[in-house]
Amino acid sequence: KKAINAEVHDIVTKSVIKKGSDNPENDIAYNFVDKEGKIKKIYVSENNHAMLTKGQLAIVRHRGEFKLIPPDAAEKIEKRAPDLIYQAERGVVEDIPDEYADYEIPDDLMW
């Protein structure tokens, strides 16, 4: 177990991505469900929010914090400790038919 934790730590420290922008006021909330079924919130840049939604970034719980990592690092960690990774499925957003394309979405609606 110590060896696995050390490997996960190495992967995270080598591949961690900065969550937010340089100005925290510009960051937006990204909500996700943790392994216990609770909704968690992290603040990320708009670009990272879009990438998380599309499955192009993953969230890892590392030493009590949630950090962003690329999908290849997430796959390596998931093989060792699958309970630490939170990632949207790739391509799911694009595969859903847009039945509500004719409806206007409010600017303040975020998930």
Side-chain angles (χ1 to χ4, degrees):
K1 187 172 180 175
K2 287 183 181 181
I4 290 173
N5 288 340
E7 289 176 12
V8 168
H9 176 72
D10 287 343
I11 294 169
V12 171
T13 55
K14 290 178 183 175
S15 60
V16 71
I17 296 171
K18 184 179 174 185
K19 286 190 274 190
S21 60
D22 292 333
N23 185 359
E25 293 178 7
N26 294 336
D27 293 345
I28 54 178
Y30 178 80
N31 297 309
F32 63 99
V33 179
D34 71 0
K35 303 299 180 185
E36 299 169 355
K38 296 180 182 177
I39 297 174
K40 299 290 184 179
K41 180 187 298 188
I42 60 172
Y43 287 90
V44 296
S45 67
E46 191 173 333
N47 184 45
N48 286 347
H49 189 280
M51 292 176 73
L52 280 165
T53 304
K54 294 176 184 175
Q56 297 171 346
L57 285 180
I59 300 170
V60 63
R61 188 180 71 236
H62 182 253
R63 298 190 174 177
E65 292 183 40
F66 293 109
K67 300 184 178 194
L68 299 183
I69 55 173
D72 58 337
E75 290 174 16
K76 293 176 186 176
I77 293 172
E78 195 163 30
K79 290 178 185 176
R80 293 162 177 83
D83 58 321
L84 300 178
I85 297 293
Y86 308 93
Q87 182 175 19
E89 300 211 12
R90 293 183 196 179
V92 171
V93 174
E94 288 76 36
D95 294 338
I96 299 172
D98 193 2
E99 300 170 7
Y100 300 100
D102 296 333
Y103 296 95
E104 186 176 334
I105 299 172
D107 292 336
D108 60 349
L109 179 66
M110 296 300 296
W111 170 246

